[in-house]
Amino acid sequence: MSTFSSTAYPVLPPAAAASLGPTVVIAPHPDDESLGCGGLMALLRQAGQPVWCVLVSDGTMSHPNSQKFAAPARQALREQELREALALLHVPAEALHCLNLPDGAVPLPDAPAGATAAQQLTVFLQQAQPATVLVPWRRDPHPDHRATHRLVEAALQHLSDPPRLLEYVVWAWERAEPADLPQTDEVQGWQLDISSVLPQKQAAIAAHRSQLAGSPIDDDPTGFTLAPSMLAHFAQPTELYLEAIS
């Protein structure tokens, strides 16, 4: 594995968040929004900018063998946790849009289900008219994250005036292979100072209780929880954003 480092990127002040304008955050799973962009979302709302969240997958595969929480119950629980996290970031409930694609098998845009999802995203973005869209880093080492990036790219191709596209990092902090790292000729990046809203971000992450130690889904020994080493990356006073060099 390789170290994904943010030290080479300049740090922008909190006020820089407002310059992104109305923003849509695309989250492959419930919790990606808080982990990758929670500070930025809080700062955008603080500045009075509209923020929407699109949840791509149904989130059911974190504890696939639970008997207490069958798949519909897992989906409901994780969506409830997401709504609580968004409320803590001051994102209104009506700003959440769910695509309900299968967790662990988010389709690519060249599959029929993926083409449909990309079309749904296009319609949503036409309605919301954001200035900026946030999407996982194109080579974030999780298939759903990579598929989500591809779906968003496909959706943006159908917009006459596409929004600015920024990429955030989730799994690459821990799992990046050398080929996953950003290259200086493909993207530029910057860090955002989120120290003033870090407690808000931490509260939003904590709202995703099913993904943390002491999860209420306690009957699946193979179930997923975020490791302390992983969570440490998202307790930092900055967030990293990458943008393709045009």
Side-chain angles (χ1 to χ4, degrees):
M1 295 293 175
S2 302
T3 302
F4 196 110
S5 174
S6 59
T7 55
Y9 300 102
V11 179
L12 303 186
S19 68
L20 300 185
T23 297
V24 169
V25 176
I26 314 287
H29 312 98
D31 73 9
D32 289 321
E33 80 302 324
S34 298
L35 294 168
C37 324
L40 174 55
M41 294 169 76
L43 289 170
L44 283 165
R45 293 299 298 133
Q46 205 173 78
Q49 295 289 358
V51 175
W52 298 264
C53 179
V54 175
L55 174 60
V56 175
S57 81
D58 58 21
T60 58
M61 288 301 289
S62 64
H63 297 77
N65 300 310
S66 173
Q67 300 300 309
K68 288 184 185 177
F69 289 83
R74 292 196 297 274
Q75 180 174 2
L77 174 62
R78 296 205 66 191
E79 185 176 322
Q80 175 189 334
E81 292 172 342
L82 173 56
R83 291 184 181 279
E84 182 179 336
L86 293 175
L88 288 164
L89 298 172
H90 299 158
V91 176
E94 61 271 18
L96 175 62
H97 180 72
C98 300
L99 294 182
N100 296 315
L101 295 172
D103 187 0
V106 171
L108 294 171
D110 54 2
T116 299
Q119 185 178 29
Q120 291 173 334
L121 276 170
T122 298
V123 171
F124 176 81
L125 294 170
Q126 287 171 332
Q127 293 171 342
Q129 291 288 305
T132 304
V133 170
L134 300 175
V135 68
W137 163 238
R138 64 191 70 180
R139 292 190 295 276
D140 210 37
H142 188 300
D144 285 349
H145 289 218
R146 297 184 183 208
T148 293
H149 192 282
R150 294 273 304 276
L151 290 176
V152 172
E153 282 191 324
L156 294 181
Q157 289 176 2
H158 298 286
L159 298 179
S160 56
D161 186 19
R164 182 181 183 184
L165 186 67
L166 295 179
E167 303 174 44
Y168 63 90
V169 177
V170 179
W171 284 108
W173 293 118
E174 289 243 316
R175 299 182 178 178
E177 298 289 348
D180 298 331
L181 301 178
Q183 304 301 309
T184 54
D185 62 348
E186 65 176 343
V187 293
Q188 55 195 356
W190 44 272
Q191 300 178 75
L192 179 65
D193 178 357
I194 62 162
S195 53
S196 62
V197 293
L198 184 56
Q200 208 175 333
K201 171 175 177 167
Q202 290 292 289
I205 292 172
H208 293 280
R209 286 176 287 276
S210 68
Q211 307 304 291
L212 303 172
S215 169
I217 310 177
D218 58 5
D219 65 334
D220 182 359
T222 66
F224 169 82
T225 54
L226 288 158
S229 61
M230 180 68 170
L231 288 167
H233 295 289
F234 306 104
Q236 303 302 312
T238 59
E239 288 174 345
L240 175 64
Y241 295 96
L242 301 166
E243 186 170 13
I245 296 173
S246 55

